[in-house]
């Protein structure tokens, strides 16, 4: 890419000069995919200063002006969709079909949904005799992950732009290529100088400088719970708003009345989406004890139906995990599951037989898992499903909630009244009953150590506004 070794500051692609370089590795081939420059605290300061200057004007832009920008972004995103698909596959190994149908199609849906909200959002409304004014929060530092490299940027950048905020973005250093293409889209769409800025780099340098900066009003972070804790600590001294979407360890409760074949198959394949690298992956499958053995065989068939192979082939359904560190972590958790007494049904910690390079993990199923095992306690972030037998609904609810996380939960039942009652007792930000169709406007975020605040839809939009109460405009 033309600007891969640049930063984007104050409306220009700026050469990074003598900044350290980092090679981006294609996880499917272990070969270089490109080289980025790694930013410094000084680069962050330049970007924040540009964003602060731009905020003085952009905060007072009209709804119509911002809608025009967002609509141009959507048109340009559509025009370059195939590039985004190809780059997503290149930098983080998503099979091209998944990149097209989920990563990029989902990104487009979020742009369109932000436009829909902005068209009718009431930035002023009366509450009794008080006028409530919903105003942009200010300069926003956005720190995004590698597992959905464009989509996670869009769920932050688009509502920030829509509400009149200005932005400094740090994409993940593991998947920074498609974010640079998105910077080109914003530039070509005519986003005013300083409104959007991008600095590549790592968390301890660029991320910390952003979250500590006194002229940043809000940090929106998506990533691990461990890193989220550090972001919050860095931001505390300047009392800035901190919005976090963190880890998860989602349970999938199969009630006794389910169509077992369909429920287990969908559950396994759902856990393998994006090579299991989703914080909402339903990795803990809770099965009535009397159905456990039957469910195990169904899960085996589902796992062994997965196609591992060339990520540029439309037929491939499972790609690699993102890097060597993640590869070793998933392998160690699989080995821990075996050592702790879980039954390895299929898969394991060796590479798939048909692959001789890349960070590919066999689609793996464990059975006879108990809640205290590592494969049930840890966030997996790999293509591994653990079947946990349970006795009665109360125990299933207790196992589901017995985690420091609370991002998502899944529930399969033919009786929607029962499912709704069970859902009300699950401590998670999203509960998906019977694998519903994806809804771009559904608020996304978690309870407990899965974060605070919400992204997507109206709630994600309002994450970027402050509420001002104006009294005295109406006579008593």
């Amino acid at each position: 890419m033309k600007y891969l070794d640049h930063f984007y500051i104050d409306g220009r692609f700026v050469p990074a000069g003598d900044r350290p370089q980092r090679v981006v590795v294609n996880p499917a081939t272990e070969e270089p995919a490109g080289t980025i420059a790694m930013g410094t605290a000084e680069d962050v300061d330049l970007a924040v200063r540009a964003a602060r200057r731009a905020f003085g004007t952009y905060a007072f832009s009209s709804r119509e002006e911002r809608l025009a920008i967002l609509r141009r972004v959507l048109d340009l995103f559509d025009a370059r969709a195939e590039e985004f698909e190809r780059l997503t596959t290149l930098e983080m190994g998503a099979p091209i079909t998944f990149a097209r149908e989920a990563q990029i199609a989902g990104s487009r849906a979020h742009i369109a949904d932000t436009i829909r909200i902005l068209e009718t959002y009431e930035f002023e409304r009366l509450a009794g005799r008080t006028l409530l004014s919903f105003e942009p929060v200010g300069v926003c530092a956005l720190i995004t992950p590698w597992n959905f490299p464009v989509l996670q940027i869009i769920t932050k950048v688009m509502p920030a732009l829509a509400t009149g905020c200005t932005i400094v973005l740090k994409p993940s250093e593991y998947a920074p290529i498609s974010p640079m293409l998105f910077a080109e889209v914003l530039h070509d769409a005519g986003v005013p100088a300083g409104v959007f800025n991008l600095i590549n780099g790592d968390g301890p340098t660029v991320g910390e400088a952003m979250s500590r900066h006194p002229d940043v009003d809000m940090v929106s972070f998506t990533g691990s719970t461990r890193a989220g804790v550090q972001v919050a600590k860095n931001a505390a001294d300047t009392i800035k708003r901190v919005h976090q979407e963190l880890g998860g360890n989602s349970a999938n409760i199969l009630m006794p009345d389910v169509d077992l074949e369909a429920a287990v198959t969908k559950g396994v394949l759902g856990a393998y989406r994006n090579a299991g690298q989703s914080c909402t992956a339903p990795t803990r499958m809770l099965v009535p004890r009397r159905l456990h053995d039957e469910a195990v065989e169904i899960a085996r068939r589902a796992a062994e139906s997965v196609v591992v192979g060339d990520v540029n082939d439309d037929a491939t359904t499972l790609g690699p995990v993102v890097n060597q560190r993640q590869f070793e972590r998933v392998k160690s958790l699989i080995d821990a599951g075996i050592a702790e007494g879980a039954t390895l049904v299929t898969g394991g910690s060796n590479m798939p037989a048909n692959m001789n390079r890349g960070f590919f993990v066999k689609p793996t199923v464990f059975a006879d898992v108990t809640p205290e095992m590592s494969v049930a306690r840890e966030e997996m972030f790999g293509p591994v499903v653990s079947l946990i037998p349970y006795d009665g609904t109360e125990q299933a609810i207790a196992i589901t909630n017995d985690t420091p996380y609370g991002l998502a939960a899944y529930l399969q039942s033919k009786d929607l009244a029962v499912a709704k009652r069970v859902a009300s007792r699950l401590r998670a930000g999203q509960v998906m009953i019977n694998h519903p169709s994806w809804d771009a406007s559904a608020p996304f975020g978690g309870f407990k150590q899965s974060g605070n605040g919400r992204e997507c839809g109206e709630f994600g939009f309002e994450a970027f506004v402050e509420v001002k109460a104006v009294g005295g405009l109406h006579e008593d």
Side-chain angles (χ1 to χ4, degrees):
M1 277 186 61
K2 183 178 179 182
Y3 297 114
L4 190 55
D5 59 348
H6 289 53
F7 305 134
Y8 188 75
I9 302 174
D10 207 12
R12 296 184 301 114
F13 287 95
V14 179
D18 62 354
R19 297 298 188 245
Q21 302 289 298
R22 178 188 176 93
V23 175
V24 181
V25 176
N26 180 338
T29 65
E30 301 181 53
E31 296 175 354
T35 303
I36 60 168
M38 299 291 280
T40 65
E42 290 77 15
D43 299 314
V44 170
D45 187 60
L46 287 173
V48 172
R49 289 175 183 271
R52 176 57 62 193
R53 289 192 300 270
F55 182 70
T57 302
Y58 190 67
F60 299 98
S61 59
S62 69
R63 181 198 310 267
E64 290 70 27
E65 290 171 321
R66 298 198 295 272
L67 275 171
I69 290 170
L70 267 58
R71 288 168 179 154
R72 290 195 297 269
V73 170
L74 182 58
D75 289 342
L76 289 165
F77 188 85
D78 284 344
R80 306 190 74 170
E82 290 187 7
E83 288 180 77
F84 279 111
E85 294 161 10
R86 179 178 58 81
L87 293 179
T88 301
T89 295
L90 175 71
E91 67 188 344
M92 57 84 57
I96 191 65
T97 302
F98 184 79
R100 180 185 309 120
E101 296 178 357
Q103 296 261 4
I104 304 310
S107 298
R108 185 197 190 280
H110 284 301
I111 299 172
D113 197 55
T114 304
I115 292 170
R116 175 191 65 81
I117 296 166
L118 179 56
E119 286 173 338
T120 59
Y121 187 80
E122 295 182 22
F123 287 96
E124 291 187 347
R125 62 193 83 158
L126 281 175
R129 296 183 179 276
T130 300
L131 177 68
L132 302 183
S133 177
F134 292 80
E135 301 179 359
V137 69
V139 176
C140 300
L142 311 180
I143 302 173
T144 57
W146 46 259
N147 59 329
F148 285 86
V150 177
L151 188 149
Q152 290 279 8
I153 286 171
I154 283 170
T155 60
K156 299 179 190 294
V157 167
M158 297 311 290
L161 290 176
T163 53
C165 295
T166 58
I167 297 158
V168 180
L169 168 69
K170 188 198 90 65
S172 169
E173 63 271 33
Y174 294 106
I177 304 178
S178 57
M180 289 304 294
L181 179 59
F182 189 63
E184 289 185 32
V185 165
L186 296 180
H187 179 82
D188 293 344
V191 173
V195 169
F196 171 82
N197 305 271
L198 184 154
I199 305 293
N200 275 314
D202 60 22
T205 305
V206 172
E208 180 170 341
M210 289 166 63
S211 54
R212 287 189 185 277
H213 202 292
D215 279 337
V216 167
D217 300 294
M218 172 182 174
V219 181
S220 179
F221 172 83
T222 298
S224 70
T225 297
R226 175 194 55 78
V229 169
Q230 191 58 53
V231 166
K233 289 179 178 179
N234 294 339
D237 288 342
T238 47
I239 321 296
K240 53 175 59 72
R241 181 183 297 184
V242 178
H243 182 287
Q244 298 171 314
E245 194 275 286
L246 306 176
N249 186 14
S250 303
N252 180 14
I253 303 174
L254 276 57
M255 300 295 283
D257 65 344
V258 294
D259 177 336
L260 197 64
E261 181 80 31
V264 173
T265 300
K266 287 182 179 179
V268 169
L269 299 181
Y272 293 165
R273 290 179 77 249
N274 210 31
Q277 298 172 124
S278 171
C279 41
T280 60
T283 53
R284 294 187 293 151
M285 183 178 291
L286 277 57
V287 183
R289 191 173 300 276
R290 65 179 177 80
L291 300 176
H292 175 266
D293 291 350
E294 185 181 355
V296 167
E297 292 309 309
I298 298 169
R300 182 200 304 273
R301 292 196 298 271
E304 293 176 356
S305 75
V306 170
V307 179
V308 183
D310 180 0
V311 293
N312 293 298
D313 185 339
D314 282 353
T316 297
T317 55
L318 186 73
V321 295
V322 74
N323 55 36
Q324 181 75 39
R325 184 174 67 179
Q326 189 65 17
F327 180 67
E328 296 296 339
R329 181 181 181 277
V330 175
K331 287 175 58 179
S332 70
L333 282 170
I334 292 172
D335 289 340
I338 296 170
E340 292 171 11
T343 300
L344 180 65
V345 176
T346 187
S349 60
N350 295 326
M351 283 186 68
N354 62 324
M355 307 304 296
N356 58 14
R357 62 177 182 171
F359 306 124
F360 290 88
V361 177
K362 287 181 180 179
T364 296
V365 174
F366 280 110
D368 303 302
V369 174
T370 56
E372 71 277 3
M373 291 179 178
S374 297
V375 291
R377 301 300 301 174
E378 300 286 337
E379 182 179 30
M380 183 62 63
F381 243 59
V384 181
V385 176
S386 298
L387 272 64
I388 304 173
Y390 72 86
D391 299 297
T393 301
E394 290 300 316
Q395 187 185 38
I397 293 170
I399 293 171
T400 298
N401 290 336
D402 181 22
T403 171
Y405 301 110
L407 188 58
Y410 299 77
L411 183 59
Q412 320 305 321
S413 176
K414 293 178 181 177
D415 190 331
L416 292 182
V418 169
K420 184 179 178 182
R421 287 196 296 272
V422 173
S424 71
R425 297 180 59 194
L426 302 181
R427 298 285 294 166
Q430 284 192 341
V431 180
M432 299 290 105
I433 298 172
N434 296 334
H435 299 289
S437 299
W438 179 67
D439 181 0
S441 64
F444 183 75
F447 291 13
K448 299 188 282 186
Q449 292 184 29
S450 286
N452 51 66
R454 294 294 181 269
E455 293 185 332
C456 309
E458 284 79 0
F459 285 93
F461 193 96
E462 291 191 337
F464 292 92
V465 298
E466 291 280 18
V467 183
K468 179 185 290 181
V470 181
L473 295 176
H474 297 269
E475 293 182 3
D476 294 331

